[in-house]
């Protein structure tokens, strides 16, 4: 009988200990903003890794090949941090790019020569503008410190990519996204609006940042990517 009472007391102590732990875990759940950013930036990374391979294989211009290699390396490294952060926060990540990103990859697979170079640079310009805007949104609106820190780390790399793309686009005579009166790049105005950007333009998958900007359309509140 004494043994039964001890077991009952032990069970009660275990339950008392579990309740605060469960409450703490619930309180630590990332916000919708943080979750959507992790998921979408992971899809951006998946896209960039594949597009980087295509650039090295099919690019006619050496600059396209070189940027493809750099983007693949940088986004592979970034995605390692994304996956680690998502795992710690119990955020489930998609296992493939968005439908729009896949459509771009399919188009690139079917292109060759100068057409490939032009379509690749155009898609990359639009995608990096969206990724930069979404990352800025996460930095300003995110609530989970580890995700905000990830965005702060990613932003300089994304801006450096954009700057390199602008230089290459100018060399190849490829239109660069126009800027609005506030200086914000407008991803849709690139001369290649038929190419969805890596941020995704479908409603089934939120763009990085997810809740303040319409994918595929620039906003006037977001600071412009650095072109210096």
């Amino acid at each position: 009988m004494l043994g039964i009472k001890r077991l009952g007391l032990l069970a009660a102590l275990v339950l008392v200990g579990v309740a605060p732990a469960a409450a703490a875990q619930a309180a630590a759940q990332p916000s919708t903003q943080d979750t959507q950013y992790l998921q979408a930036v992971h899809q951006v990374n998946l896209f960039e890794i594949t597009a980087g391979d295509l650039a090295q294989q099919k690019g006619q211009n050496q600059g396209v090949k070189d940027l493809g290699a750099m983007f693949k390396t940088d986004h592979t490294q970034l995605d390692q941090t994304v996956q680690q952060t998502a795992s710690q926060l119990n955020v489930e990540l998609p296992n493939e790019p968005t439908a729009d990103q896949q459509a771009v990859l399919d188009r690139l697979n079917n292109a060759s020569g100068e057409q490939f170079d032009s379509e690749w640079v155009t898609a990359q310009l639009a995608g990096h503008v969206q990724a930069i805007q979404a990352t800025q949104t996460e930095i300003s609106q995110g609530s989970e410190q580890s995700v905000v820190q990830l965005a702060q780390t990613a932003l300089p790399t994304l801006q450096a990519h954009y700057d390199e793309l602008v230089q290459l686009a100018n060399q190849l005579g490829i239109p660069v996204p126009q800027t609005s009166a506030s200086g914000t790049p407008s991803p849709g105005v690139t001369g290649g609006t038929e190419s969805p950007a890596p941020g995704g333009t479908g409603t089934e998958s939120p763009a990085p940042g997810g809740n303040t900007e319409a994918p595929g359309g620039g906003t006037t509140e977001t600071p412009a990517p650095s072109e210096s």
Side-chain angles (χ1 to χ4, degrees):
M1 190 69 178
L2 183 58
I4 294 176
K5 289 183 178 179
R6 286 179 177 173
L7 287 174
L9 177 61
L10 179 60
L13 289 173
V14 169
L15 288 174
V16 168
V18 166
Q25 183 177 4
Q29 291 299 310
S31 67
T32 299
Q33 162 67 34
D34 296 325
T35 298
Q36 289 184 341
Y37 179 74
L38 283 174
Q39 292 172 337
V41 77
H42 174 61
Q43 289 180 303
V44 167
N45 291 334
L46 294 178
F47 172 90
E48 292 295 343
I49 291 168
T50 303
D53 281 334
L54 288 174
Q56 294 173 77
Q57 296 166 10
K58 305 186 65 174
Q60 176 172 292
N61 181 274
Q62 188 60 44
V64 170
K65 291 178 178 290
D66 292 344
L67 284 190
M70 182 176 73
F71 290 3
K72 178 182 178 181
T73 297
D74 291 348
H75 282 276
T76 297
Q77 293 175 349
L78 173 59
D79 204 53
Q80 292 173 352
T81 305
V82 172
Q83 292 187 51
Q84 181 180 9
T85 303
S87 177
Q88 293 171 346
L89 298 174
N90 295 318
V91 172
E92 184 176 353
L93 297 176
N95 56 14
E96 59 187 11
T98 68
D100 288 326
Q101 290 166 342
Q102 188 58 53
V104 174
L105 293 174
D106 291 343
R107 211 158 31 245
L108 292 174
N109 267 312
N110 293 325
S112 60
E114 291 183 2
Q115 180 189 4
F116 174 88
D117 290 350
S118 178
E119 291 200 14
W120 188 86
V121 173
T122 296
Q124 291 290 345
L125 282 166
H128 276 79
V129 167
Q130 290 188 342
I132 288 169
Q133 290 176 337
T135 300
Q136 291 170 329
T137 298
E138 171 60 27
I139 291 171
S140 64
Q141 299 184 14
S143 56
E144 172 56 47
Q145 187 57 39
S146 62
V147 184
V148 173
Q149 186 174 0
L150 184 155
Q152 291 172 333
T153 301
L155 185 58
T157 298
L158 294 171
Q159 288 182 326
H161 288 183
Y162 180 81
D163 292 344
E164 294 283 353
L165 284 164
V166 169
Q167 292 182 27
L168 181 58
N170 288 334
Q171 292 173 12
L172 298 179
I174 297 171
V176 175
Q178 300 298 309
T179 56
S180 65
S182 67
T184 304
S186 302
V189 191
T190 62
T193 54
E194 71 281 2
S195 299
T201 58
T203 55
E204 73 282 355
S205 178
N211 61 359
T212 61
E213 301 155 38
T219 63
T220 56
E221 292 86 359
T222 307
S226 168
E227 296 190 24
S228 57

